[in-house]
Amino acid sequence: MLNSRLIFKYYKRSASVLGDADKGGRVRWFTQDVLKLPIRTINFSDPKDKFRHDHMAALVNQMLELHKQLASARTDYDKTIIQRQIDSTDRQIDQLVYELYGLTGEEIKIVEDGSS
């Protein structure tokens, strides 16, 4: 969740930033700021919520494995293929987060375009 576009965009607007967050500034990850993030609680008795949770966990595990593969890839071709899989998995995670938070198409466009 923390690496999703939605949560990161929210965080960099509400947390401490060194410089301009949209122009290469560094976001500072302080505990007190992270604790204020609106992390959605999963209702495990709701089949849809449980499915979303399990799907998110599977995507995160897939992402971790892909990063391991990328680190050990030897050829530029292999690195390119694995990076494309990472990018695709990242987009799937973002879409799931948008769904979890009930974002509309217009709200997703705001997050995706980087406009405020």
Side-chain angles (χ1 to χ4, degrees):
M1 299 277 296
L2 291 178
N3 285 334
S4 70
R5 283 184 186 218
L6 175 64
I7 297 298
F8 186 71
K9 182 176 181 76
Y10 177 89
Y11 188 79
K12 74 180 184 177
R13 295 290 177 246
S14 61
S16 299
V17 178
L18 297 173
D20 185 339
D22 294 321
K23 296 181 182 176
R26 300 205 185 258
V27 177
R28 301 184 68 182
W29 291 88
F30 290 120
T31 302
Q32 65 269 20
D33 295 326
V34 173
L35 291 174
K36 294 177 188 174
L37 286 171
I39 301 298
R40 187 180 172 287
T41 303
I42 301 298
N43 178 359
F44 286 98
S45 62
D46 178 351
K48 284 185 178 182
D49 257 11
K50 183 173 180 340
F51 173 80
R52 289 181 190 125
H53 169 273
D54 293 348
H55 190 200
M56 177 70 74
L59 288 170
V60 168
N61 286 330
Q62 180 179 345
M63 184 69 83
L64 292 171
E65 183 58 35
L66 286 167
H67 278 282
K68 286 179 191 175
Q69 292 175 19
L70 184 61
S72 64
R74 295 182 186 253
T75 68
D76 287 340
Y77 176 78
D78 289 341
K79 290 177 184 178
T80 299
I81 296 299
I82 296 167
Q83 186 59 55
R84 287 181 183 163
Q85 292 174 317
I86 288 171
D87 295 344
S88 174
T89 304
D90 200 30
R91 285 190 299 274
Q92 290 177 61
I93 290 171
D94 284 338
Q95 290 301 316
L96 184 55
V97 171
Y98 300 152
E99 183 182 325
L100 281 169
Y101 283 86
L103 267 63
T104 65
E106 185 176 309
E107 292 166 332
I108 292 169
K109 185 172 178 3
I110 291 169
V111 174
E112 297 277 328
D113 289 346
S115 56
S116 298

